[in-house]
Amino acid sequence: MFVRNAWYVAATRQEVSNKPLARTLLNEPVVLFLNGQAEICALEDRCCHRGAPLSLGEVTSAGVRCGYHGMEFDRSGRCVDIPGQERIPARAAVKSYPVVAKGDYVWIWMGAADKADAADIVDYPPEGDGWPRANDMLHLKASYIMVLENLMDLSHLSYLHRTSIGSSENDSAKASIDVRRTDRGMRFLRVMRNADAPANWTKRYPTGPKVDRWSDFEYVAPSTIKQYSGGVNAGEYDAGVREGAHLVRTLHAVTPETEKSCFYFFNKADGYARFEPPGTERTWKSTTDVFKEDAFMLEQQQLRMENFDEGRLMDINTDVARVQMIRVLKERLSQEQPSQEMAGAK
């Protein structure tokens, strides 16, 4: 079940061109492209004639021409040409979706078009000011809810990511967690004081073996998370120090494909670069590699949940933020689907 009156990342801006891009979003086939006027278009990827994928057609000045029988549709979804036929019936149309290009992404509104307001699209990592930015995407065979839950319980860092970004099990167990509701969702702050520096920090940052780490996550329902994380020398966090070592801002945008698959877009802006010599060679491969560890675990989790009663699962202390996130999501779902319950939500 999905919240439809919301903005989702449909694609990166680089993905949308004058070549049709087919993508299933919230169980709906969508084709994205730039028409001959360089306008971003998002249409139902199913011709109203015989159901052929419009993504197998070609882009035109107005929109897209079906590659099966040649019907042409403009960006509003209205048919503007039927080969060999002058009269175009009013029903000759396909669904169109509001789309907005913001930053590195093309955002799509899958619900009632008259409710779409571009001002509701989240802001995310700043451009410029010495914050180099990069983005990537993983296609997961797992529910978007599982991805969100994974981000809401960071205790897994000490186990799943022990050789990369994780601290020790003891450090994780002692972490303080503060959770609160917001107008658009919820927020949680997790702080580990006097923790072991992660393996990949010692190679990069001028900190000692002990650090204070924080992760500030803001969940904007239904499927976007803004993250502000950092690390400083042990004892500096409570003194108000927030710069000098690890410092990143990340956007996590999780777009459902189906109930059991999703697109995980992540956009990372690195604040530490301002302290490095100009021309320092940078790579973002390590970030994607860490998220691939999550992806593998989530896909395995999805397989184990097939035909399983999720009511048999239990919560533990570190689930406090995850549980609050699920409550927020259930509230958003109930606003659009009051008679339905979200599968798997507790």
Side-chain angles (χ1 to χ4, degrees), residues 7-13 15-16 21-25 30 32 42 98-100 105-110 137 253 255 263 265:
W7 290 102
Y8 293 92
V9 172
T12 64
R13 295 187 72 163
E15 288 182 289
V16 181
L21 171 68
R23 186 148 283 171
T24 299
L25 305 172
V30 176
L32 300 145
V99 283
V100 173
Y105 296 113
V106 172
W107 299 77
I108 190 167
W109 182 274
M110 301 295 292
M137 184 268 283
T255 302
F263 300 99
F265 298 90

Side-chain angles (χ1 to χ4, degrees), residues 249-270:
R249 295 186 185 276
T250 308
L251 176 77
H252 306 269
V254 191
T255 302
E257 180 184 43
T258 68
E259 290 85 353
K260 300 176 182 179
S261 61
C262 65
F263 300 99
Y264 176 21
F265 298 90
F266 45 94
N267 193 306
K268 175 185 175 183
D270 195 329

Side-chain angles (χ1 to χ4, degrees), residues 30-339:
V30 176
V31 58
L32 300 145
F33 58 91
L34 294 177
N35 66 10
Q37 309 303 313
E39 298 169 316
I40 299 176
C41 306
L43 301 177
E44 174 185 2
D45 193 16
R46 182 168 39 224
C47 182
C48 61
H49 173 221
R50 304 309 301 159
L54 294 179
S55 56
L56 295 182
E58 61 180 2
V59 171
T60 66
S61 177
V64 63
R65 185 177 297 280
C66 180
Y68 196 16
H69 295 100
M71 292 176 64
E72 182 182 5
F73 302 87
D74 66 15
R75 68 191 306 260
S76 73
R78 181 175 62 93
C79 180
V80 294
D81 181 54
I82 301 178
Q85 181 174 324
E86 292 186 7
R87 190 180 75 85
I88 300 178
R91 62 179 297 190
V94 297
K95 184 177 181 179
S96 65
Y97 301 86
V99 283
V100 173
K102 180 176 181 179
D104 298 317
Y105 296 113
V106 172
W107 299 77
I108 190 167
W109 182 274
M110 301 295 292
D114 60 345
K115 295 183 178 181
D117 184 351
D120 292 334
I121 299 174
V122 300
D123 294 319
Y124 59 96
E127 296 187 55
D129 195 28
W131 288 68
R133 199 168 81 203
N135 64 79
D136 205 346
M137 184 268 283
L138 295 174
H139 181 210
L140 277 70
K141 294 180 180 178
S143 164
Y144 79 103
I145 297 174
M146 287 183 178
V147 180
L148 295 172
E149 289 181 316
N150 175 72
L151 292 165
M152 288 290 111
D153 183 0
L154 298 183
S155 64
H156 76 273
L157 268 63
S158 296
Y159 305 92
L160 188 59
H161 307 305
R162 69 170 70 237
T163 61
S164 54
I165 62 174
S167 289
S168 71
E169 297 176 24
N170 185 53
D171 291 333
S172 181
K174 294 187 299 182
S176 65
I177 302 177
D178 179 62
V179 179
R180 63 182 176 87
R181 294 291 292 266
T182 65
D183 291 341
R184 303 180 66 183
M186 54 80 65
R187 191 167 186 168
F188 87 92
L189 173 65
R190 182 176 187 265
V191 181
M192 290 190 294
R193 294 172 174 83
N194 196 36
D196 293 334
N200 63 354
W201 283 24
T202 57
K203 301 176 183 178
R204 181 180 181 192
Y205 303 129
T207 56
K210 291 290 186 177
V211 296
D212 293 339
R213 300 181 62 180
W214 74 90
S215 295
D216 188 353
F217 281 65
E218 181 182 359
Y219 169 62
V220 180
S223 65
T224 305
I225 294 174
K226 297 193 293 182
Q227 174 188 353
Y228 170 43
S229 294
V232 290
N233 283 305
E236 292 184 333
Y237 180 85
D238 289 328
V241 178
R242 297 293 183 270
E243 294 188 354
H246 180 65
L247 194 64
V248 296
R249 295 186 185 276
T250 308
L251 176 77
H252 306 269
V254 191
T255 302
E257 180 184 43
T258 68
E259 290 85 353
K260 300 176 182 179
S261 61
C262 65
F263 300 99
Y264 176 21
F265 298 90
F266 45 94
N267 193 306
K268 175 185 175 183
D270 195 329
Y272 184 71
R274 68 183 68 185
F275 307 112
E276 293 182 333
T280 298
E281 183 177 353
R282 309 186 61 77
T283 175
W284 303 95
K285 180 178 180 297
S286 61
T287 298
T288 300
D289 287 344
V290 168
F291 291 149
K292 284 181 177 179
E293 293 175 341
D294 293 299
F296 176 77
M297 180 64 74
L298 293 170
E299 290 182 338
Q300 294 301 307
Q301 179 186 356
Q302 180 71 63
L303 290 172
R304 271 58 176 189
M305 299 306 294
E306 294 292 325
N307 302 314
F308 179 77
D309 176 12
E310 295 188 30
R312 295 169 56 189
L313 299 177
M314 60 174 288
D315 297 331
I316 59 178
N317 288 342
T318 57
D319 285 311
V320 57
R322 183 193 65 80
V323 169
Q324 287 297 322
M325 183 275 296
I326 287 294
R327 289 177 180 171
V328 172
L329 182 53
K330 287 182 68 175
E331 290 171 7
R332 281 297 306 273
L333 283 165
S334 66
Q335 292 171 9
E336 294 186 17
Q337 306 168 50
S339 64

